Amino acid sequence: MKVRIDSERCQGHGRCYDLASELFGEDDEGYGRVLAAGEVPDGQERTARLAVANCPERAIEIV
């Protein structure tokens, strides 16, 4: 499983890295970015789905 952030949609609310800091970080301007090339480690699938569900702009997707 992988996740990605659509940078065109992201508004920098930070919910992704607040909820799933092992999967997402923030850039210099506070926008979300994926860590580890978007690879979701075994056991973190639920956390990835939580981040997807809590993004107000629906900028995160599972691929």
Side-chain angles (χ1 to χ4, degrees), residues 17-42:
Y17 51 83
D18 283 343
L19 292 169
S21 60
E22 56 280 335
L23 302 175
F24 302 96
E26 62 181 304
D27 67 11
D28 293 337
E29 296 177 356
Y31 293 95
R33 63 180 179 86
V34 295
L35 303 176
E39 295 289 338
V40 178
D42 290 340

Side-chain angles (χ1 to χ4, degrees), residues 5-60:
I5 295 177
D6 181 341
S7 61
E8 297 290 318
R9 293 173 126 179
C10 179
Q11 296 294 307
H13 291 283
R15 291 183 185 173
C16 56
Y17 51 83
D18 283 343
L19 292 169
S21 60
E22 56 280 335
L23 302 175
F24 302 96
E26 62 181 304
D27 67 11
D28 293 337
E29 296 177 356
Y31 293 95
R33 63 180 179 86
V34 295
L35 303 176
E39 295 289 338
V40 178
D42 290 340
Q44 294 293 321
E45 296 88 353
R46 185 173 184 197
T47 303
R49 287 185 179 93
L50 180 67
V52 170
N54 280 278
C55 179
E57 282 78 28
R58 302 288 183 232
I60 305 169

